[in-house]
Amino acid sequence: MSDEEGRVLRSRRSNYKAFVPPVNEDAVRRAEDNRAVKAASNGLLNLEHVINRKVELRRKAELLKSELVKDVDIHFNEFVNNFIEECTVLESTSATPPLHSENLEKDGHKVRGLRPPPEHGKLFVSRRSLLDELFEVNHIRTIYHMFIALLILFILSTLVVDCIDEGRLVLEFDLLVYAFGNIPIVISTWLCMFLTTLIIPYGLFSTWARGYRASSHRNIRCLFFGFFYMMFQMLGLGFIPTYIVIQYNLPPASRFIIILEQVRLIMKAHSFVRENVPRVFTFTKEKTSIVPVPQVTQYLYFLFAPTLIYRDNYPRNPSIRWGYVATKFSQVMGCLFYAYYVFVRLCIPLFRNISQEPFSLRVLVLCIFNSILPGVLILFLAFFAFLHCWLNAFAEMLRFADRMFYKDWWNSTSFANYYRTWNVVVHDWLYYYAYRDFLWFFGRKFKAAAMLSVFTVSAVVHEYALAICFGFFYPVLFILFMCFGMLFNFILHDRRKGPIWNVIMWTSLFLGQGVLLCLYSQEWYAQRQCPVNNPTFLDFVKPRSWTCRLHFEN
């Protein structure tokens, strides 16, 4: 069977070949050549595509590598800074035994000798400002460009409205001219404050320190020089600048310059004395003959340095980047004009005639929510202009290397963290000279009282600055600070984590800015639209905006 099947299959193949027409050999050869050419061309195209793809992947890898290195560098610097701060705190706590009320009762002088020395305070290290690092990332720099675009739109809208109303371009900047009036008085007052702060505290401390060891009445000597120092702080830096501001009726921005410099110099002088007095006490117990009095150049450098914590030496950069300084000062000027356009376009049209409207809850609510946008813009501008640009410009000119003037406060999930990271310069002063010294004096079990005292001091100073600069007393900020600020500090504490708490923090911050801008602006215009001829003490304390609408209704 198998042989027969094989013969049948062979016969079928021969029959099939007989019916197939003959194929042209040239056509077959030509088709094979075409297939070879196509295969070669496809191979070249595929090779070129592979090369381009490899180049593109390599470029993306390089970009990813640079971004990864930047992110790792930022996180590593943050880790190192936090590690150094924690080590410093551990050293200070280990070097300083706990204070108890029993020890205070037994030996007050012995306990006061346990005061932590200056070197256990803030540790300065060389580091960049956070925004300088973030602006190297394209995504963050785009947000900065968006704010510039918004400024351009403010300028264009103002020019267009002025052209429609006046028929010409109005470039007078009358609001800035008014706000920064009487500049010669401001400069002369600042110069007097600075020179007296340079001479008097340093002279009093130097004289007291050089004769303290040999003095037979050390307590009387301390009281004598301490009295003159306190008189200088209260009269020379406290009363006289305030009197000049009120007597010459300076405009708001000029008042802010003098009052903020007044507060800064008071805090600087206190830091200088507080950091050096314990060194003199230690010197009297040692056998060395060198009196630990800093050089006047060190104190002069400290008065200009962007910090409120005195040290004999700070980490310094090797050179000054004058282009960086010019950029920062130009950004300060840009923020100043930005704030001008915010007031002109968003604030003045809203509040100019609001005091003439009948008061209602609806008017108040609309005023607060309409004030949130300009209030938040002013908050961002004040932060960027002063805490970033102004302080970095002076730090660069002085080659001051520690640029941590703020931290990532925008990522805060609690108000406790926000208070610590918003303004690190002031927070450090309050922490070391108000909070820690309070605990040193009264004991570590009074932490709540120490925190309350710090909040009170900060709220009083903020309200004092606003009251003097605006020319009226309206304690809105004090109430928000002491009531809601303290409440949020305990409710939104550091154990609150997650994005929702950051949203709550931002919502509260936005609403607070709206309340501040609304109520202070209403009072500003009420003071000018409803003047009092013979004001009594009650007229200075009672807000004018509460009765100004009644005046217009009558």
Side-chain angles (χ1 to χ4, degrees), residues 223-345:
L223 291 175
F224 178 79
F225 283 94
F227 172 78
F228 280 102
Y229 169 72
M230 292 302 298
M231 291 298 295
F232 165 74
Q233 288 280 67
M234 291 186 295
L235 295 179
L237 287 180
F239 175 75
I240 294 178
T242 305
Y243 175 79
I244 292 175
V245 163
I246 298 175
Q247 181 67 24
Y248 286 94
N249 194 21
L250 297 180
S254 300
R255 292 190 179 200
F256 265 108
I257 294 174
I258 294 179
I259 297 301
L260 294 182
E261 279 297 291
Q262 173 196 47
V263 175
R264 184 183 73 91
L265 292 175
I266 289 175
M267 297 169 76
K268 290 261 190 180
H270 176 80
S271 176
F272 174 76
V273 174
R274 167 64 183 85
E275 295 291 337
N276 286 284
V277 165
R279 297 166 61 182
V280 177
F281 290 154
T282 304
F283 157 74
T284 57
K285 301 177 183 179
E286 298 176 352
K287 297 181 180 180
T288 178
S289 59
I290 301 176
V291 182
V293 177
Q295 300 178 2
V296 67
T297 54
Q298 294 173 324
Y299 179 53
L300 178 62
Y301 180 88
F302 168 64
L303 290 180
F304 284 104
T307 179
L308 297 174
I309 307 296
Y310 175 80
R311 294 290 182 269
D312 289 340
N313 298 289
Y314 299 94
R316 308 282 290 274
N317 288 333
S319 60
I320 301 175
R321 298 171 297 171
W322 290 108
Y324 180 86
V325 175
T327 300
K328 294 306 168 187
F329 279 127
S330 63
Q331 288 175 340
V332 171
M333 295 300 298
C335 291
L336 189 62
F337 282 98
Y338 208 136
Y340 165 78
Y341 285 108
V342 169
F343 278 108
V344 169
R345 302 305 307 161

Side-chain angles (χ1 to χ4, degrees), residues 141-390:
R141 192 163 58 246
T142 300
I143 300 177
Y144 173 72
H145 296 161
M146 292 166 60
F147 276 91
I148 296 177
L150 186 60
L151 173 61
I152 295 173
L153 292 178
F154 274 131
I155 296 174
L156 290 177
S157 65
T158 304
L159 294 179
V160 171
V161 170
D162 289 339
C163 287
I164 295 175
D165 294 341
E166 304 291 337
R168 61 184 179 87
L169 289 178
V170 180
L171 300 175
E172 297 175 354
F173 300 105
D174 50 349
L175 181 61
L176 287 178
V177 174
Y178 160 74
F180 289 92
N182 294 330
I183 287 296
I185 297 177
V186 175
I187 295 175
S188 59
T189 304
W190 177 86
L191 191 60
C192 292
M193 287 194 301
F194 179 80
L195 291 177
T196 53
T197 306
L198 175 63
I199 296 172
I200 295 178
Y202 183 84
L204 289 175
F205 172 78
S206 178
T207 306
W208 169 80
R210 296 182 190 280
Y212 179 76
R213 172 188 278 184
S215 176
S216 57
H217 303 284
R218 293 178 179 176
N219 292 335
I220 297 177
R221 185 180 183 86
C222 291
L223 291 175
F224 178 79
F225 283 94
F227 172 78
F228 280 102
Y229 169 72
M230 292 302 298
M231 291 298 295
F232 165 74
Q233 288 280 67
M234 291 186 295
L235 295 179
L237 287 180
F239 175 75
I240 294 178
T242 305
Y243 175 79
I244 292 175
V245 163
I246 298 175
Q247 181 67 24
Y248 286 94
N249 194 21
L250 297 180
S254 300
R255 292 190 179 200
F256 265 108
I257 294 174
I258 294 179
I259 297 301
L260 294 182
E261 279 297 291
Q262 173 196 47
V263 175
R264 184 183 73 91
L265 292 175
I266 289 175
M267 297 169 76
K268 290 261 190 180
H270 176 80
S271 176
F272 174 76
V273 174
R274 167 64 183 85
E275 295 291 337
N276 286 284
V277 165
R279 297 166 61 182
V280 177
F281 290 154
T282 304
F283 157 74
T284 57
K285 301 177 183 179
E286 298 176 352
K287 297 181 180 180
T288 178
S289 59
I290 301 176
V291 182
V293 177
Q295 300 178 2
V296 67
T297 54
Q298 294 173 324
Y299 179 53
L300 178 62
Y301 180 88
F302 168 64
L303 290 180
F304 284 104
T307 179
L308 297 174
I309 307 296
Y310 175 80
R311 294 290 182 269
D312 289 340
N313 298 289
Y314 299 94
R316 308 282 290 274
N317 288 333
S319 60
I320 301 175
R321 298 171 297 171
W322 290 108
Y324 180 86
V325 175
T327 300
K328 294 306 168 187
F329 279 127
S330 63
Q331 288 175 340
V332 171
M333 295 300 298
C335 291
L336 189 62
F337 282 98
Y338 208 136
Y340 165 78
Y341 285 108
V342 169
F343 278 108
V344 169
R345 302 305 307 161
L346 300 179
C347 295
I348 294 179
L350 176 64
F351 299 110
R352 179 182 291 139
N353 299 318
I354 195 171
S355 297
Q356 302 178 15
E357 299 178 4
F359 177 78
S360 65
L361 182 61
R362 179 178 181 275
V363 172
L364 180 61
V365 171
L366 288 177
C367 175
I368 291 175
F369 281 93
N370 290 334
S371 302
I372 289 178
L373 176 59
V376 171
L377 288 176
I378 293 172
L379 174 71
F380 290 160
L381 291 173
F383 161 74
F384 184 74
F386 180 72
L387 290 176
H388 179 70
C389 298
W390 185 266

Side-chain angles (χ1 to χ4, degrees), residues 419-444:
Y419 294 142
R420 290 193 299 266
T421 56
W422 158 258
N423 188 343
V424 175
V425 179
V426 174
H427 170 266
D428 288 341
W429 193 94
L430 290 173
Y431 175 74
Y432 289 108
Y433 302 139
Y435 181 78
R436 283 183 54 175
D437 283 357
F438 186 96
L439 295 180
W440 164 81
F441 193 82
F442 292 101
R444 294 188 177 274

